[in-house]
């Protein structure tokens, strides 16, 4: 490990007695606390409730080839200090690895615990468990992220599997997996009394793409993973690519030319512009105001053309490499960029004013989908969702990276926590992004944009966070030989979806789509079907090919 | 009833069926212009869409067969309601044309709700109940508005008012405002398209329909929309017919022209608003209907 033995930060003193050892992974930025398994819950409680850290994610790692056991990494962030705290727990058992669950202390750890249970077979004890990521017919004994499972493993096709029982109420309104309010397939079941939503159940992770495993495969090297990372998301792919290369560069101590850092920051802001304008249009459409939808997308189109002008692609820019970027933004491009920014600023002002002044739109945004500050903090939500609920969280300010330390900008924060606040946060962020791009262009230093002279030692470690349009995108990386040994990605939607339950409860059904959309969700690629037997009210999820075939043929 | 009365009434029905989809394309084209996009490539686009649906196979979902009767009733009721209007000549239903208009309009709305309930789909049922709530409020105001318009002409018949109505301008204008608002709501456009609210209910009432059944569903909705525009147009045309003596074919043309104009106005209003919620919509409507109704009947009562 890349470690430095500096003193423990003052902020972490309350839990000092529970820490076996601490290592500065990245001085001033990331500290790893080696904690005995029996002290994990106490440490998590101390960090979350006493010290006031936010929970970012957790990851299980198969470290048997390194020292003979497994490990769990819980990543917390102390925003005020700009400090990532990795709580590292060794698990000596090779056959039935387990760790105590921290979900009672840290509700935000719910999904990632289930995820390491599914993918590595590390059992989080002391909580209810269920499959989260793997399909129901995946063989129980195969844990795909273990190092002895080949990346190309295909499980035998299951022809007959007992359908999983789902649903808690006798009746519900299914929203998804294919639904006009959702622009990606996902599944919500809303339980309603009249028009009021009384509860909600979400089922996601229907197709896990195995990207983390793929990155560890011999088909990939450090640079190729950059392009894989960009394909995690069709809207904010550059965020993932940046978070990944930054993790590699930090872990491997790769020097990155300053100009490349400016270009990356600039493109991240271009991506934020198009993403927020896209969201604004979708929100208007969900509220039945299609004029707002079309005009928001008309303005957005300019940002897409700008992206193409700067990178050669409207989306999936393919600009990043470990050590810098592939293409420079030359001075002769600056006037055109400024012209487009001017047009986008004017257009956004008009469209945003128009949308929020439509009475029906305003009424349906104001006071709906409220997420209280306490709930937002408990669930460690991120991005505009957090900022609209009064949490002043923005990775660009709290954990400065790339060129953000050299620019000044405001972080819009609202206290109402409703759909209108989330809308206004995004609208204000559009203008802030425009100002950031102008400052970056003004201050961009000359020089090279790519350092190709680097060599990365195995066993090094880094945690990076990038502020995506939807919130904080966190990547954990352990270096291997020629490629990552372990790469963990936590997209912002992962942190924000659990907040939908408190947001939707008590709302009218009509406002459910805009409330779901207000977190600007980004889901995986497909879903399974829910079957309701109308005679018995019994629900089941179709999991086998014959079951699907029977239903398809009616 | 003379042959020409019947011929003009039938012509109105034929024209309604023929041009409602064309007007829908106009609607789409207008919206597209306001959205800075091109919109449908031809004025016949909605007709092409309907024709395409009609050529598809009939797929009836479980419980879907039950929607066929209310679907037919919706279209038939809308057409019968249309034939209660004076198309340049007295309606075949005169002098009880207003009664028939109210009855058939209500039947069109009721059967539309029945489509939803019959399909058994959860989205359709929710859409149906939304329609029911909205129609319950709107129909009361519609009857009161229609009656107030008639009372301010001194004749309880549109056909009669076109020939010998004695119009009282101020009550007529207030009653017309009430009636036209009710008719806009009954046209099920934004912000009152709650039964079909696509982002929430995925077409709501019509969700179980596909192919030819969906084509008939679309025609039914368009006919209801045409009816709303035509009744509004009739209320505008009545004083013109009465005082300018525009009857027969010119009267028919006047009614048709005004219907198209009202349709366009409805389309423009819809394009500039967002969708409401059922609770908010009902409250808003009640807060508008009560003062307008009170004002109209007070003016009538005091002989203004």
């Amino acid at each position: 490990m890349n470690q430095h033995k500096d003193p423990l930060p003052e902020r972490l003193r309350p839990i000092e007695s529970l820490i076996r050892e601490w290592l500065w992974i990245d001085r001033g930025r990331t500290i790893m606390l080696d904690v005995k398994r029996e002290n994990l819950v106490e440490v998590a409680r101390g960090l979350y409730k006493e010290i006031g850290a936010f929970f970012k994610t957790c990851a299980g790692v198969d470290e048997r080839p390194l020292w003979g056991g497994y490990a769990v990494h819980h990543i917390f962030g102390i925003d005020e200090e700009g400090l990532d705290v990795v709580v590292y727990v060794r698990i000596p058992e090779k056959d039935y690895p387990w760790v105590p669950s921290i979900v009672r202390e840290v509700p935000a750890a719910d999904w990632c615990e289930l995820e390491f249970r599914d993918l590595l077979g590390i059992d989080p004890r002391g909580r209810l468990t269920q499959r989260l990521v793997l399909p129901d017919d995946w063989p129980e004994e195969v844990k795909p992220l273990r190092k002895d499972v080949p990346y190309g493993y295909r499980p035998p096709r299951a022809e007959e599997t007992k359908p999983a029982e789902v649903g808690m109420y006798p009746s519900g309104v299914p929203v998804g997996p294919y639904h006009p309010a959702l622009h990606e397939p996902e599944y919500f079941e809303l339980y309603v009394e009249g028009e009021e939503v009384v509860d909600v159940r979400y089922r996601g992770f229907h197709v896990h793409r195995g990207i983390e495993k793929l990155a560890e495969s011999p088909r990939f090297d450090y640079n190729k993973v950059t392009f894989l990372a960009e394909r995690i998301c069709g809207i904010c792919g550059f965020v993932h690519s940046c978070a990944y290369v930054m993790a590699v560069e930090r872990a491997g101590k790769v020097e990155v030319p300053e100009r490349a850092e400016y270009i990356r920051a600039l493109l991240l802001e271009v991506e934020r512009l198009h993403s927020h304008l896209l969201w604004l249009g979708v929100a208007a459409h969900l509220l039945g105001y299609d004029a707002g939808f079309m005009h928001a997308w008309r303005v957005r189109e300019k940002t897409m053309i700008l992206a193409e002008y700067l990178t050669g692609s409207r989306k999936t820019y393919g600009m990043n490499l470990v050590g810098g970027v592939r293409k420079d933004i030359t001075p002769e491009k600056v006037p055109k960029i400024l012209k487009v920014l001017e047009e986008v600023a004017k257009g956004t002002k008009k469209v945003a004013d128009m949308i929020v002044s439509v009475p029906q739109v305003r009424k349906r945004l104001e006071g709906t989908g409220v997420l209280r500050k306490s709930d937002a903090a408990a669930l460690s939500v991120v991005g505009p969702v957090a900022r609209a609920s009064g949490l002043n969280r923005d990775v660009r300010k709290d954990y400065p990276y790339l060129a953000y330390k050299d620019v000044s900008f405001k972080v819009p924060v609202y206290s109402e926590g409703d759909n209108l606040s989330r809308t206004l946060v995004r609208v204000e962020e559009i203008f802030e992004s425009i100002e950031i791009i102008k400052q970056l262009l003004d201050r961009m230093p000359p020089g090279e944009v790519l350092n190709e002279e680097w060599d990365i030692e195995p066993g090094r470690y880094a945690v990076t966070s990038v502020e995506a349009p939807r919130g904080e995108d966190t990547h954990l990386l352990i270096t291997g030989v020629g490629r990552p040994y372990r790469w963990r990605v936590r997209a912002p939607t992962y942190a924000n979806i659990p907040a939908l339950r408190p947001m939707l409860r008590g709302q009218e059904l009509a406002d459910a789509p805009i409330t779901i959309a207000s977190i600007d969700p980004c889901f995986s690629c497909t879903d399974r079907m829910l079957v309701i037997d109308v005679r018995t009210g019994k629900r089941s999820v179709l999991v086998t090919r014959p079951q699907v075939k029977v239903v398809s043929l009616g | 009833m003379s042959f020409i009365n019947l011929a003009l009434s039938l012509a109105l029905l034929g024209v309604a069926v023929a041009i409602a989809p064309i007007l829908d394309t106009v609607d789409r084209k207008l919206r597209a212009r306001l959205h800075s996009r091109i919109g449908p490539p031809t004025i016949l686009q909605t007709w092409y869409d309907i024709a395409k649906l009609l050529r598809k196979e009939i797929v009836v979902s479980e419980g879907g067969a039950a929607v066929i009767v209310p679907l037919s009733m919706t279209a038939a009721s809308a057409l019968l309601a249309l034939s209660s209007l004076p198309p340049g000549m007295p309606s075949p239903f005169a002098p009880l044309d207003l009664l028939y208009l109210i009855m058939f309009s209500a039947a069109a709305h009721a059967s539309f709700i029945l489509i939803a309930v019959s399909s058994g789909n959860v989205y359709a049922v929710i859409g149906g109940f939304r329609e029911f709530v909205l129609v319950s409020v709107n129909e009361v105001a519609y009857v009161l508005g229609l009656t107030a318009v008639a009372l301010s002409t001194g004749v309880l018949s549109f056909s009669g008012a076109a020939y010998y109505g004695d119009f009282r301008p101020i009550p007529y204008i207030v009653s017309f405002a009430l009636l036209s608002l009710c008719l806009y709501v009954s046209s099920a456009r934004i912000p009152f398209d709650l039964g079909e609210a696509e982002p929430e209910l995925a077409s709501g009432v019509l969700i179980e329909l596909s192919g030819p059944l969906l084509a008939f569903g679309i025609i039914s909705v368009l006919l209801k929309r045409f009816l709303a525009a035509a009744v509004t147009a009739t209320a505008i045309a009545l004083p013109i017919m009465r005082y300018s003596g525009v009857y027969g074919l010119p009267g028919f043309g006047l009614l048709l022209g005004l219907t198209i104009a009202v349709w366009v106005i409805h389309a423009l209003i819809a394009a500039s608003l967002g969708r409401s919620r059922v609770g908010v919509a009902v409250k808003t409507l009640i807060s508008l209907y009560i003062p307008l109704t009170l004002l109209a009947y007070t003016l009538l009562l005091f002989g203004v």
Side-chain angles (χ1 to χ4, degrees), chain A residues 207-219:
Chain A
V207 169
H208 191 78
R209 288 182 287 174
I211 282 181
E212 291 174 8
K213 181 76 177 178
L214 196 58
E216 298 170 13
S217 77
R219 295 172 62 182

Side-chain angles (χ1 to χ4, degrees), chain A residues 331-350:
Chain A
E332 60 267 22
K333 288 185 176 173
V334 173
K336 184 164 178 184
I337 300 171
L338 292 174
K339 185 170 175 279
V340 173
L341 292 179
E342 215 52 52
E343 289 168 3
V344 171
K346 274 186 194 163
T348 304
K349 176 88 178 67
K350 269 188 194 170

Side-chain angles (χ1 to χ4, degrees), chain A residues 225-240:
Chain A
V225 176
T226 310
F227 301 96
L228 181 66
E230 194 153 6
R231 278 151 181 82
I232 290 172
C233 179
I235 295 174
C236 54
F238 193 68
V239 165
H240 287 287

Side-chain angles (χ1 to χ4, degrees), chain A residues 172-176 179-181 195 285-291 294-295 298 358 360-361 363-364 368 508-511 513 535, chain B residues 31 33-37 62 122-123 126 130 190-191 198-203 270-280 284:
Chain A
V173 180
V175 178
H179 191 280
E195 284 270 334
H285 170 64
L286 292 176
L287 295 170
Y289 184 50
D290 280 348
M294 291 296 161
H295 287 291
R298 178 177 53 75
V358 173
Q360 293 81 14
V361 171
K363 269 186 184 164
R364 292 185 60 187
T368 56
E508 285 201 31
L509 178 64
D511 295 327
R535 286 171 287 278
Chain B
R31 258 182 290 145
R33 298 289 291 188
L34 292 171
H35 295 169
S36 295
R37 57 187 174 87
E62 194 182 336
V122 64
Y123 295 122
I126 294 171
R130 285 184 182 180
I190 281 178
E198 196 206 328
E200 300 133 53
L201 301 181
S203 294
S272 58
L273 297 173
R275 184 173 297 109
S276 191
R277 268 195 302 251
V278 67
V280 174
T284 310

